[in-house]
Amino acid sequence: GSGAISGLVAERDAMARVACPTLCLRGEYDFVTEVCVEGWQGLPDVDFVTLEGCSHHALLEQPSVYLEVLGAFLNRFDPTERESTPTDP
């Protein structure tokens, strides 16, 4: 349950030092609630996504939705996706 993370606090200074884009993914019925992730707003480049109809184990509950969201996030940083342009034969 959420007791394992009840005392977890995101330090504002530590958040500001995160140099990479971050995906904050949680389920609609997750014990990691919106209130729990409010402190992560301090990340410089963060995307918050709530998967509807899921709890904490969204990968097991709705794998196609989970992987679609994760894939879209990762593809934003794939150099082959950014560089691919049609060429004439």
Side-chain angles (χ1 to χ4, degrees), residues 4-85:
I5 62 168
S6 63
L8 183 64
V9 176
E11 299 288 334
R12 190 174 293 245
D13 292 343
M15 291 291 190
R17 291 192 305 268
V18 175
C20 63
T22 306
L23 175 62
C24 180
L25 188 60
R26 55 173 290 280
E28 178 181 14
Y29 305 112
D30 205 324
F31 63 80
V32 179
T33 64
E34 289 183 23
V35 173
C36 290
V37 298
E38 279 179 359
W40 303 344
Q41 298 274 348
L43 288 165
D45 185 5
V46 62
D47 290 350
F48 290 94
V49 177
T50 299
L51 298 177
E52 293 182 21
C54 293
S55 64
H56 190 69
H57 299 287
L59 177 59
L60 300 175
E61 297 167 22
Q62 294 189 27
S64 61
V65 174
Y66 182 96
L67 294 173
E68 181 180 330
V69 170
L70 180 59
F73 176 79
L74 294 174
N75 282 338
R76 289 179 26 207
F77 311 102
D78 182 351
T80 60
E81 291 291 320
R82 289 191 304 251
E83 295 172 6
S84 63
T85 56

